DNA sequence: CTAAAATAAAAGTAATCACTCACTTTTTAT
DNA sequence: ATAAAAAGTGAGTGATTACTTTTATTTTAG
């Protein structure tokens, strides 16, 4: 494996497994559930095989190693989850369509909440493994950051022009906004998963906080 | 072990091991380093024994199980780290001594940064295990929350009186402030550990953000 | 229909794991 | 000084692990 670039390796890997058989889907499904429930290290390949109704050998025929199976689980998620890679969110939540920064951030939050509602399990897997895997994280973060920057730089400039954003450097703004959004999502989906949420109220609270803080004018 | 209450069990456990032998200290030291580096599940007891220069049997004589060793590592940290339990931070950063909410939050941030500078490794261990251990988390969070509330409720009322805080419910204020602080610390110490930081500038940025958001007045 | 090729299942395999146990050494108390 | 208690040791133990190899079944091709 020549590439020092893990992301490339991951993407290449994901392209290799073009056709997914029914059994492969079952395997991935079971892997997601088990990894999310007890973590990668605490899940054995035999358990995955059992849960997916497949022989252990089948699992290794398709994925070679347990590590590789993890990547096959994480990669498709990342490809959708680093959304600014895909054009979807771009067009779905286009800053130019929003007259105020509040509305834009609100839409962005709603978009990501909807996505995570559909992907809670795998989100947990990804988050946990990102904590454990330094190399993956070290490659992913700059990549993520530059993608976010590429997408949001424009948006930030747009709302600065409209006079709705403080005149802070864009990287600083980006960091403040994204860590707020991320920590909200992390608490909501990972740390307190069972809670029922009033989306409208919560989004409003977060948007108000991000734009106006807690201080009195 | 009767108690359904894990926290009680932990605290009881920590009280049992009153006198720490030199070897015990070595063991805990090595365990922290290894757990932080590669996680609990990926660290074997034989490795811990080897690194700390004791026989594996010694480790089990003192801690009984690997799990128990983890608790012995986590507990003392938590006792200091849920700082509002201990009076130290209370007196060190007493809200009534601060004329403005900004100054108070700044002091709080500096206090926690100083603490984490001394405890980076174990902070990483705790954070990772909290993600993996539902029961621990489910017991710890309400406890943490109520402690924080007990301490900060007063502070929030104080700064509300001074007209420096928005008239939001205290639990909401608390959540917004603490998730901001926590996510800043998490990014700084866990996700991007190797970064060198300009404390003064970063604290200022965070304080400004928490009090005033990113929106233009 | 049949032989070859691809896929799945089952039965291994060597390594590693957390943990035990019989025993020795050190510390403490009298 | 001595006995009891505590601390320390390291060679085992059975269970489990990721992975392999062998055997069986299904799919495909001529």
């Amino acid at each position: 494996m020549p590439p020092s670039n893990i992301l490339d390796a991951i993407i290449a890997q994901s392209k290799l497994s073009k056709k997914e058989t029914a059994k492969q889907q079952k395997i991935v499904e079971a892997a997601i559930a088990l990894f999310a429930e007890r973590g990668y290290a605490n899940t054995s390949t035999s358990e995955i095989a059992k849960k997916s109704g497949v022989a252990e050998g089948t699992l290794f025929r398709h994925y070679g190693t347990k590590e590789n199976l993890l990547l096959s689980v994480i990669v498709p998620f990342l490809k959708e989850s680093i959304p600014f890679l895909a054009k979807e969110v771009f067009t779905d939540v286009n800053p130019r369509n929003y007259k105020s920064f509040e509305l834009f951030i609100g839409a962005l939050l709603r978009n990501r909440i909807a996505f995570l509602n559909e992907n809670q399990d795998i989100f947990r897997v990804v988050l946990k493994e990102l904590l454990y895997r330094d190399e993956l994280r070290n490659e992913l973060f700059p990549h993520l950051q530059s993608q976010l920057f590429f997408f949001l730089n424009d948006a930030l400039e747009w709302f600065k022009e409209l006079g709705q954003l403080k005149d802070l450097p864009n990287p600083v703004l980006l960091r403040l906004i994204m860590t707020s959004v991320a920590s909200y999502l992390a608490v909501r989906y990972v740390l307190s998963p069972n809670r029922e949420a009033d989306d409208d109220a919560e989004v409003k609270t977060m948007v108000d906080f991000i734009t106006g803080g807690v201080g009195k004018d």
Short mmCIF file of all heavy atoms in Angstrom, two decimals, chain D residues 5-26:
data_model
loop_
_atom_site.label_atom_id
_atom_site.label_comp_id
_atom_site.label_asym_id
_atom_site.label_seq_id
_atom_site.Cartn_x
_atom_site.Cartn_y
_atom_site.Cartn_z
P DA D 5 -2.81 -12.79 60.14
OP1 DA D 5 -3.96 -12.50 61.05
OP2 DA D 5 -2.74 -14.04 59.37
"O5'" DA D 5 -2.62 -11.54 59.17
"C5'" DA D 5 -2.00 -10.36 59.68
"C4'" DA D 5 -1.42 -9.56 58.55
"O4'" DA D 5 -0.10 -10.05 58.19
"C3'" DA D 5 -2.24 -9.60 57.25
"O3'" DA D 5 -2.39 -8.26 56.82
"C2'" DA D 5 -1.37 -10.41 56.29
"C1'" DA D 5 0.02 -10.04 56.78
N9 DA D 5 1.08 -10.98 56.45
C8 DA D 5 1.08 -12.34 56.55
N7 DA D 5 2.20 -12.92 56.18
C5 DA D 5 3.01 -11.85 55.82
C6 DA D 5 4.34 -11.79 55.34
N6 DA D 5 5.11 -12.87 55.15
N1 DA D 5 4.84 -10.56 55.08
C2 DA D 5 4.07 -9.49 55.28
N3 DA D 5 2.82 -9.42 55.73
C4 DA D 5 2.34 -10.65 55.98
P DA D 6 -3.43 -7.83 55.72
OP1 DA D 6 -4.30 -6.79 56.32
OP2 DA D 6 -4.01 -9.06 55.14
"O5'" DA D 6 -2.50 -7.13 54.63
"C5'" DA D 6 -1.43 -6.30 55.07
"C4'" DA D 6 -0.39 -6.21 53.98
"O4'" DA D 6 0.42 -7.41 53.96
"C3'" DA D 6 -0.97 -6.05 52.58
"O3'" DA D 6 -0.44 -4.86 52.02
"C2'" DA D 6 -0.51 -7.32 51.84
"C1'" DA D 6 0.74 -7.70 52.62
N9 DA D 6 1.07 -9.12 52.60
C8 DA D 6 0.27 -10.19 52.89
N7 DA D 6 0.86 -11.36 52.80
C5 DA D 6 2.17 -11.04 52.42
C6 DA D 6 3.29 -11.84 52.16
N6 DA D 6 3.30 -13.17 52.25
N1 DA D 6 4.42 -11.20 51.80
C2 DA D 6 4.42 -9.86 51.71
N3 DA D 6 3.41 -9.00 51.94
C4 DA D 6 2.30 -9.66 52.29
P DA D 7 -0.70 -4.44 50.56
OP1 DA D 7 -0.65 -2.97 50.52
OP2 DA D 7 -1.86 -5.18 50.05
"O5'" DA D 7 0.61 -4.99 49.83
"C5'" DA D 7 1.88 -4.51 50.25
"C4'" DA D 7 2.95 -5.06 49.34
"O4'" DA D 7 3.06 -6.49 49.54
"C3'" DA D 7 2.66 -4.86 47.85
"O3'" DA D 7 3.86 -4.38 47.26
"C2'" DA D 7 2.27 -6.25 47.35
"C1'" DA D 7 3.07 -7.15 48.28
N9 DA D 7 2.52 -8.48 48.53
C8 DA D 7 1.23 -8.81 48.82
N7 DA D 7 1.04 -10.10 49.02
C5 DA D 7 2.29 -10.65 48.85
C6 DA D 7 2.77 -11.98 48.91
N6 DA D 7 1.99 -13.04 49.21
N1 DA D 7 4.08 -12.18 48.68
C2 DA D 7 4.86 -11.13 48.39
N3 DA D 7 4.53 -9.82 48.30
C4 DA D 7 3.22 -9.66 48.55
P DG D 8 3.94 -4.11 45.72
OP1 DG D 8 4.93 -3.05 45.49
OP2 DG D 8 2.56 -4.00 45.19
"O5'" DG D 8 4.55 -5.48 45.20
"C5'" DG D 8 5.88 -5.82 45.58
"C4'" DG D 8 6.24 -7.13 44.92
"O4'" DG D 8 5.40 -8.16 45.49
"C3'" DG D 8 6.00 -7.17 43.40
"O3'" DG D 8 7.24 -7.41 42.77
"C2'" DG D 8 5.01 -8.32 43.21
"C1'" DG D 8 5.20 -9.13 44.47
N9 DG D 8 4.04 -9.92 44.88
C8 DG D 8 2.78 -9.48 45.20
N7 DG D 8 1.96 -10.44 45.55
C5 DG D 8 2.73 -11.60 45.44
C6 DG D 8 2.37 -12.96 45.70
O6 DG D 8 1.30 -13.42 46.05
N1 DG D 8 3.46 -13.81 45.47
C2 DG D 8 4.72 -13.40 45.08
N2 DG D 8 5.62 -14.37 44.91
N3 DG D 8 5.05 -12.14 44.84
C4 DG D 8 4.01 -11.30 45.05
P DT D 9 7.31 -7.49 41.21
OP1 DT D 9 8.65 -7.03 40.82
OP2 DT D 9 6.10 -6.89 40.62
"O5'" DT D 9 7.23 -9.06 40.97
"C5'" DT D 9 8.21 -9.90 41.56
"C4'" DT D 9 7.91 -11.33 41.23
"O4'" DT D 9 6.66 -11.71 41.84
"C3'" DT D 9 7.72 -11.62 39.73
"O3'" DT D 9 8.84 -12.37 39.29
"C2'" DT D 9 6.40 -12.37 39.63
"C1'" DT D 9 6.13 -12.77 41.08
N1 DT D 9 4.70 -12.90 41.48
C2 DT D 9 4.20 -14.16 41.73
O2 DT D 9 4.86 -15.18 41.65
N3 DT D 9 2.89 -14.19 42.12
C4 DT D 9 2.04 -13.10 42.26
O4 DT D 9 0.86 -13.25 42.61
C5 DT D 9 2.63 -11.82 41.98
C7 DT D 9 1.79 -10.58 42.12
C6 DT D 9 3.92 -11.77 41.61
P DG D 10 9.37 -12.10 37.81
OP1 DG D 10 10.83 -12.26 37.85
OP2 DG D 10 8.77 -10.86 37.26
"O5'" DG D 10 8.76 -13.34 37.04
"C5'" DG D 10 9.05 -14.65 37.51
"C4'" DG D 10 8.03 -15.62 36.94
"O4'" DG D 10 6.77 -15.45 37.62
"C3'" DG D 10 7.73 -15.43 35.45
"O3'" DG D 10 7.50 -16.71 34.88
"C2'" DG D 10 6.43 -14.65 35.47
"C1'" DG D 10 5.76 -15.36 36.63
N9 DG D 10 4.63 -14.65 37.20
C8 DG D 10 4.35 -13.31 37.14
N7 DG D 10 3.24 -12.98 37.75
C5 DG D 10 2.76 -14.18 38.24
C6 DG D 10 1.60 -14.46 38.99
O6 DG D 10 0.74 -13.67 39.38
N1 DG D 10 1.50 -15.82 39.29
C2 DG D 10 2.40 -16.79 38.92
N2 DG D 10 2.12 -18.03 39.29
N3 DG D 10 3.48 -16.53 38.21
C4 DG D 10 3.60 -15.22 37.92
P DA D 11 8.32 -17.21 33.64
OP1 DA D 11 9.75 -17.06 33.96
OP2 DA D 11 7.74 -16.56 32.44
"O5'" DA D 11 7.94 -18.76 33.60
"C5'" DA D 11 8.01 -19.55 34.79
"C4'" DA D 11 6.71 -20.33 34.99
"O4'" DA D 11 5.67 -19.45 35.48
"C3'" DA D 11 6.17 -20.98 33.72
"O3'" DA D 11 5.64 -22.25 34.07
"C2'" DA D 11 5.06 -20.02 33.29
"C1'" DA D 11 4.53 -19.57 34.64
N9 DA D 11 3.85 -18.28 34.63
C8 DA D 11 4.29 -17.12 34.05
N7 DA D 11 3.46 -16.11 34.21
C5 DA D 11 2.42 -16.65 34.95
C6 DA D 11 1.22 -16.09 35.44
N6 DA D 11 0.88 -14.82 35.27
N1 DA D 11 0.39 -16.90 36.13
C2 DA D 11 0.73 -18.18 36.30
N3 DA D 11 1.83 -18.81 35.90
C4 DA D 11 2.64 -17.99 35.21
P DG D 12 5.14 -23.26 33.03
OP1 DG D 12 4.89 -24.56 33.72
OP2 DG D 12 6.02 -23.16 31.86
"O5'" DG D 12 3.73 -22.67 32.61
"C5'" DG D 12 2.75 -23.61 32.53
"C4'" DG D 12 1.55 -23.23 33.38
"O4'" DG D 12 1.56 -21.84 33.73
"C3'" DG D 12 0.28 -23.49 32.57
"O3'" DG D 12 -0.56 -24.37 33.27
"C2'" DG D 12 -0.30 -22.12 32.32
"C1'" DG D 12 0.30 -21.29 33.45
N9 DG D 12 0.45 -19.90 33.03
C8 DG D 12 1.51 -19.33 32.38
N7 DG D 12 1.35 -18.05 32.14
C5 DG D 12 0.09 -17.77 32.67
C6 DG D 12 -0.64 -16.56 32.71
O6 DG D 12 -0.31 -15.45 32.27
N1 DG D 12 -1.88 -16.72 33.33
C2 DG D 12 -2.35 -17.91 33.86
N2 DG D 12 -3.56 -17.88 34.42
N3 DG D 12 -1.68 -19.04 33.84
C4 DG D 12 -0.47 -18.90 33.22
P DT D 13 -1.45 -25.30 32.40
OP1 DT D 13 -1.66 -26.56 33.13
OP2 DT D 13 -0.89 -25.30 31.03
"O5'" DT D 13 -2.80 -24.47 32.36
"C5'" DT D 13 -3.37 -23.97 33.57
"C4'" DT D 13 -4.69 -23.32 33.17
"O4'" DT D 13 -4.48 -21.91 32.97
"C3'" DT D 13 -5.23 -23.89 31.86
"O3'" DT D 13 -6.56 -24.30 32.02
"C2'" DT D 13 -5.07 -22.75 30.88
"C1'" DT D 13 -5.05 -21.51 31.75
N1 DT D 13 -4.21 -20.40 31.21
C2 DT D 13 -4.69 -19.11 31.25
O2 DT D 13 -5.77 -18.82 31.73
N3 DT D 13 -3.85 -18.17 30.73
C4 DT D 13 -2.60 -18.39 30.15
O4 DT D 13 -1.93 -17.47 29.70
C5 DT D 13 -2.17 -19.77 30.12
C7 DT D 13 -0.85 -20.12 29.53
C6 DT D 13 -2.98 -20.69 30.65
P DG D 14 -7.03 -25.48 31.06
OP1 DG D 14 -7.29 -26.68 31.87
OP2 DG D 14 -6.13 -25.56 29.88
"O5'" DG D 14 -8.43 -24.87 30.58
"C5'" DG D 14 -9.22 -24.12 31.50
"C4'" DG D 14 -9.82 -22.94 30.77
"O4'" DG D 14 -8.78 -22.01 30.39
"C3'" DG D 14 -10.54 -23.31 29.46
"O3'" DG D 14 -11.72 -22.55 29.42
"C2'" DG D 14 -9.56 -22.88 28.37
"C1'" DG D 14 -8.94 -21.66 29.02
N9 DG D 14 -7.63 -21.25 28.51
C8 DG D 14 -6.58 -22.06 28.13
N7 DG D 14 -5.53 -21.39 27.72
C5 DG D 14 -5.90 -20.06 27.85
C6 DG D 14 -5.18 -18.87 27.57
O6 DG D 14 -4.03 -18.75 27.13
N1 DG D 14 -5.94 -17.74 27.84
C2 DG D 14 -7.22 -17.75 28.32
N2 DG D 14 -7.80 -16.56 28.53
N3 DG D 14 -7.91 -18.84 28.60
C4 DG D 14 -7.19 -19.96 28.34
P DA D 15 -12.86 -22.92 28.40
OP1 DA D 15 -14.00 -23.46 29.16
OP2 DA D 15 -12.28 -23.69 27.27
"O5'" DA D 15 -13.25 -21.48 27.88
"C5'" DA D 15 -13.04 -20.36 28.73
"C4'" DA D 15 -12.85 -19.11 27.90
"O4'" DA D 15 -11.45 -18.94 27.55
"C3'" DA D 15 -13.62 -19.11 26.59
"O3'" DA D 15 -14.32 -17.89 26.48
"C2'" DA D 15 -12.56 -19.27 25.51
"C1'" DA D 15 -11.35 -18.64 26.17
N9 DA D 15 -10.07 -19.18 25.72
C8 DA D 15 -9.70 -20.51 25.64
N7 DA D 15 -8.48 -20.69 25.20
C5 DA D 15 -8.01 -19.40 24.98
C6 DA D 15 -6.78 -18.92 24.51
N6 DA D 15 -5.75 -19.71 24.17
N1 DA D 15 -6.63 -17.59 24.40
C2 DA D 15 -7.66 -16.79 24.74
N3 DA D 15 -8.85 -17.13 25.20
C4 DA D 15 -8.97 -18.47 25.30
P DT D 16 -15.31 -17.64 25.26
OP1 DT D 16 -16.45 -16.84 25.74
OP2 DT D 16 -15.52 -18.93 24.55
"O5'" DT D 16 -14.44 -16.68 24.32
"C5'" DT D 16 -13.74 -15.58 24.90
"C4'" DT D 16 -12.88 -14.92 23.85
"O4'" DT D 16 -11.67 -15.69 23.67
"C3'" DT D 16 -13.54 -14.82 22.48
"O3'" DT D 16 -13.42 -13.49 22.01
"C2'" DT D 16 -12.74 -15.80 21.63
"C1'" DT D 16 -11.38 -15.73 22.30
N1 DT D 16 -10.50 -16.89 22.06
C2 DT D 16 -9.20 -16.67 21.69
O2 DT D 16 -8.72 -15.57 21.54
N3 DT D 16 -8.46 -17.81 21.49
C4 DT D 16 -8.89 -19.12 21.64
O4 DT D 16 -8.14 -20.07 21.44
C5 DT D 16 -10.28 -19.28 22.03
C7 DT D 16 -10.85 -20.65 22.19
C6 DT D 16 -11.00 -18.18 22.22
P DT D 17 -14.20 -12.97 20.76
OP1 DT D 17 -14.94 -11.78 21.21
OP2 DT D 17 -14.89 -14.08 20.08
"O5'" DT D 17 -13.00 -12.48 19.83
"C5'" DT D 17 -11.92 -11.72 20.40
"C4'" DT D 17 -10.73 -11.77 19.47
"O4'" DT D 17 -10.04 -13.02 19.68
"C3'" DT D 17 -11.09 -11.79 18.01
"O3'" DT D 17 -11.16 -10.45 17.55
"C2'" DT D 17 -9.90 -12.51 17.38
"C1'" DT D 17 -9.33 -13.35 18.51
N1 DT D 17 -9.46 -14.83 18.35
C2 DT D 17 -8.37 -15.55 17.96
O2 DT D 17 -7.30 -15.03 17.70
N3 DT D 17 -8.57 -16.90 17.86
C4 DT D 17 -9.76 -17.59 18.12
O4 DT D 17 -9.83 -18.81 18.01
C5 DT D 17 -10.87 -16.77 18.53
C7 DT D 17 -12.19 -17.41 18.83
C6 DT D 17 -10.66 -15.44 18.62
P DA D 18 -11.87 -10.16 16.14
OP1 DA D 18 -12.35 -8.77 16.21
OP2 DA D 18 -12.82 -11.27 15.87
"O5'" DA D 18 -10.69 -10.25 15.08
"C5'" DA D 18 -9.48 -9.55 15.30
"C4'" DA D 18 -8.41 -10.09 14.39
"O4'" DA D 18 -8.24 -11.51 14.66
"C3'" DA D 18 -8.73 -10.01 12.89
"O3'" DA D 18 -7.54 -9.70 12.19
"C2'" DA D 18 -9.25 -11.40 12.55
"C1'" DA D 18 -8.45 -12.28 13.50
N9 DA D 18 -9.17 -13.50 13.92
C8 DA D 18 -10.46 -13.60 14.34
N7 DA D 18 -10.83 -14.83 14.65
C5 DA D 18 -9.69 -15.59 14.42
C6 DA D 18 -9.43 -16.96 14.56
N6 DA D 18 -10.34 -17.85 14.98
N1 DA D 18 -8.19 -17.40 14.24
C2 DA D 18 -7.29 -16.50 13.82
N3 DA D 18 -7.41 -15.18 13.65
C4 DA D 18 -8.66 -14.78 13.97
P DC D 19 -7.60 -9.41 10.62
OP1 DC D 19 -6.42 -8.61 10.26
OP2 DC D 19 -8.94 -8.95 10.27
"O5'" DC D 19 -7.36 -10.87 10.01
"C5'" DC D 19 -6.12 -11.50 10.25
"C4'" DC D 19 -6.22 -12.97 9.88
"O4'" DC D 19 -7.25 -13.65 10.62
"C3'" DC D 19 -6.52 -13.28 8.41
"O3'" DC D 19 -5.36 -13.82 7.80
"C2'" DC D 19 -7.67 -14.27 8.47
"C1'" DC D 19 -7.56 -14.80 9.89
N1 DC D 19 -8.80 -15.41 10.43
C2 DC D 19 -8.80 -16.78 10.69
O2 DC D 19 -7.78 -17.44 10.45
N3 DC D 19 -9.93 -17.37 11.18
C4 DC D 19 -11.01 -16.62 11.41
N4 DC D 19 -12.08 -17.22 11.90
C5 DC D 19 -11.02 -15.21 11.16
C6 DC D 19 -9.90 -14.65 10.67
P DT D 20 -5.33 -14.24 6.25
OP1 DT D 20 -4.12 -13.69 5.64
OP2 DT D 20 -6.66 -13.94 5.68
"O5'" DT D 20 -5.20 -15.83 6.27
"C5'" DT D 20 -4.84 -16.51 7.45
"C4'" DT D 20 -4.77 -18.01 7.17
"O4'" DT D 20 -5.93 -18.67 7.75
"C3'" DT D 20 -4.77 -18.43 5.71
"O3'" DT D 20 -3.94 -19.57 5.58
"C2'" DT D 20 -6.23 -18.74 5.43
"C1'" DT D 20 -6.69 -19.32 6.76
N1 DT D 20 -8.12 -19.08 7.11
C2 DT D 20 -8.87 -20.14 7.58
O2 DT D 20 -8.43 -21.25 7.72
N3 DT D 20 -10.17 -19.81 7.89
C4 DT D 20 -10.78 -18.57 7.77
O4 DT D 20 -11.95 -18.39 8.08
C5 DT D 20 -9.92 -17.51 7.26
C7 DT D 20 -10.47 -16.12 7.08
C6 DT D 20 -8.65 -17.82 6.95
P DT D 21 -3.55 -20.15 4.10
OP1 DT D 21 -2.09 -20.20 4.02
OP2 DT D 21 -4.31 -19.42 3.07
"O5'" DT D 21 -4.11 -21.64 4.17
"C5'" DT D 21 -4.34 -22.23 5.44
"C4'" DT D 21 -5.26 -23.44 5.30
"O4'" DT D 21 -6.60 -23.07 5.66
"C3'" DT D 21 -5.33 -24.04 3.90
"O3'" DT D 21 -5.27 -25.45 4.02
"C2'" DT D 21 -6.68 -23.55 3.37
"C1'" DT D 21 -7.49 -23.48 4.65
N1 DT D 21 -8.61 -22.49 4.63
C2 DT D 21 -9.81 -22.82 5.21
O2 DT D 21 -10.03 -23.90 5.74
N3 DT D 21 -10.77 -21.83 5.15
C4 DT D 21 -10.63 -20.58 4.58
O4 DT D 21 -11.56 -19.78 4.59
C5 DT D 21 -9.35 -20.30 3.99
C7 DT D 21 -9.10 -18.98 3.35
C6 DT D 21 -8.41 -21.25 4.04
P DT D 22 -5.31 -26.38 2.68
OP1 DT D 22 -4.29 -27.41 2.81
OP2 DT D 22 -5.36 -25.53 1.47
"O5'" DT D 22 -6.74 -27.05 2.89
"C5'" DT D 22 -7.08 -27.58 4.18
"C4'" DT D 22 -8.54 -27.98 4.20
"O4'" DT D 22 -9.37 -26.80 4.20
"C3'" DT D 22 -9.00 -28.82 2.99
"O3'" DT D 22 -9.83 -29.88 3.46
"C2'" DT D 22 -9.77 -27.82 2.14
"C1'" DT D 22 -10.37 -26.94 3.22
N1 DT D 22 -10.77 -25.58 2.78
C2 DT D 22 -12.02 -25.12 3.10
O2 DT D 22 -12.83 -25.78 3.72
N3 DT D 22 -12.28 -23.84 2.65
C4 DT D 22 -11.44 -23.01 1.93
O4 DT D 22 -11.80 -21.91 1.58
C5 DT D 22 -10.14 -23.56 1.64
C7 DT D 22 -9.14 -22.75 0.87
C6 DT D 22 -9.87 -24.81 2.06
P DT D 23 -10.16 -31.12 2.45
OP1 DT D 23 -9.77 -32.36 3.14
OP2 DT D 23 -9.64 -30.80 1.09
"O5'" DT D 23 -11.76 -31.06 2.38
"C5'" DT D 23 -12.51 -30.87 3.57
"C4'" DT D 23 -13.83 -30.21 3.23
"O4'" DT D 23 -13.59 -28.86 2.77
"C3'" DT D 23 -14.61 -30.90 2.09
"O3'" DT D 23 -15.88 -31.28 2.58
"C2'" DT D 23 -14.70 -29.83 1.00
"C1'" DT D 23 -14.59 -28.55 1.83
N1 DT D 23 -14.19 -27.35 1.08
C2 DT D 23 -15.03 -26.27 1.03
O2 DT D 23 -16.12 -26.26 1.58
N3 DT D 23 -14.57 -25.20 0.31
C4 DT D 23 -13.36 -25.11 -0.34
O4 DT D 23 -13.05 -24.10 -0.96
C5 DT D 23 -12.51 -26.27 -0.27
C7 DT D 23 -11.20 -26.27 -0.94
C6 DT D 23 -12.95 -27.33 0.44
P DA D 24 -16.86 -32.12 1.63
OP1 DA D 24 -17.50 -33.13 2.48
OP2 DA D 24 -16.13 -32.50 0.41
"O5'" DA D 24 -17.96 -31.03 1.25
"C5'" DA D 24 -18.77 -30.48 2.27
"C4'" DA D 24 -19.58 -29.35 1.69
"O4'" DA D 24 -18.68 -28.38 1.10
"C3'" DA D 24 -20.54 -29.75 0.57
"O3'" DA D 24 -21.82 -29.23 0.89
"C2'" DA D 24 -19.96 -29.11 -0.69
"C1'" DA D 24 -19.25 -27.90 -0.10
N9 DA D 24 -18.15 -27.36 -0.89
C8 DA D 24 -17.00 -28.00 -1.24
N7 DA D 24 -16.17 -27.26 -1.96
C5 DA D 24 -16.84 -26.04 -2.06
C6 DA D 24 -16.50 -24.83 -2.68
N6 DA D 24 -15.36 -24.63 -3.35
N1 DA D 24 -17.40 -23.82 -2.60
C2 DA D 24 -18.54 -24.01 -1.92
N3 DA D 24 -18.96 -25.11 -1.30
C4 DA D 24 -18.05 -26.09 -1.41
P DT D 25 -23.08 -29.78 0.10
OP1 DT D 25 -24.10 -30.09 1.12
OP2 DT D 25 -22.65 -30.81 -0.89
"O5'" DT D 25 -23.56 -28.49 -0.69
"C5'" DT D 25 -23.70 -27.26 0.02
"C4'" DT D 25 -23.64 -26.12 -0.97
"O4'" DT D 25 -22.34 -26.04 -1.58
"C3'" DT D 25 -24.63 -26.23 -2.13
"O3'" DT D 25 -25.57 -25.19 -2.01
"C2'" DT D 25 -23.77 -26.09 -3.39
"C1'" DT D 25 -22.51 -25.44 -2.84
N1 DT D 25 -21.26 -25.66 -3.61
C2 DT D 25 -20.72 -24.61 -4.30
O2 DT D 25 -21.20 -23.50 -4.32
N3 DT D 25 -19.56 -24.92 -4.98
C4 DT D 25 -18.91 -26.14 -5.02
O4 DT D 25 -17.88 -26.28 -5.66
C5 DT D 25 -19.54 -27.20 -4.28
C7 DT D 25 -18.92 -28.57 -4.25
C6 DT D 25 -20.67 -26.91 -3.61
P DT D 26 -26.87 -25.20 -3.02
OP1 DT D 26 -28.03 -24.74 -2.23
OP2 DT D 26 -26.91 -26.47 -3.75
"O5'" DT D 26 -26.48 -24.03 -4.04
"C5'" DT D 26 -26.06 -22.77 -3.53
"C4'" DT D 26 -25.36 -22.00 -4.65
"O4'" DT D 26 -24.17 -22.71 -5.06
"C3'" DT D 26 -26.21 -21.83 -5.91
"O3'" DT D 26 -26.38 -20.45 -6.14
"C2'" DT D 26 -25.39 -22.53 -7.01
"C1'" DT D 26 -23.99 -22.47 -6.43
N1 DT D 26 -23.03 -23.50 -6.94
C2 DT D 26 -21.93 -23.10 -7.65
O2 DT D 26 -21.69 -21.94 -7.92
N3 DT D 26 -21.09 -24.12 -8.06
C4 DT D 26 -21.25 -25.47 -7.80
O4 DT D 26 -20.44 -26.30 -8.21
C5 DT D 26 -22.42 -25.83 -7.05
C7 DT D 26 -22.70 -27.26 -6.72
C6 DT D 26 -23.25 -24.83 -6.64
#
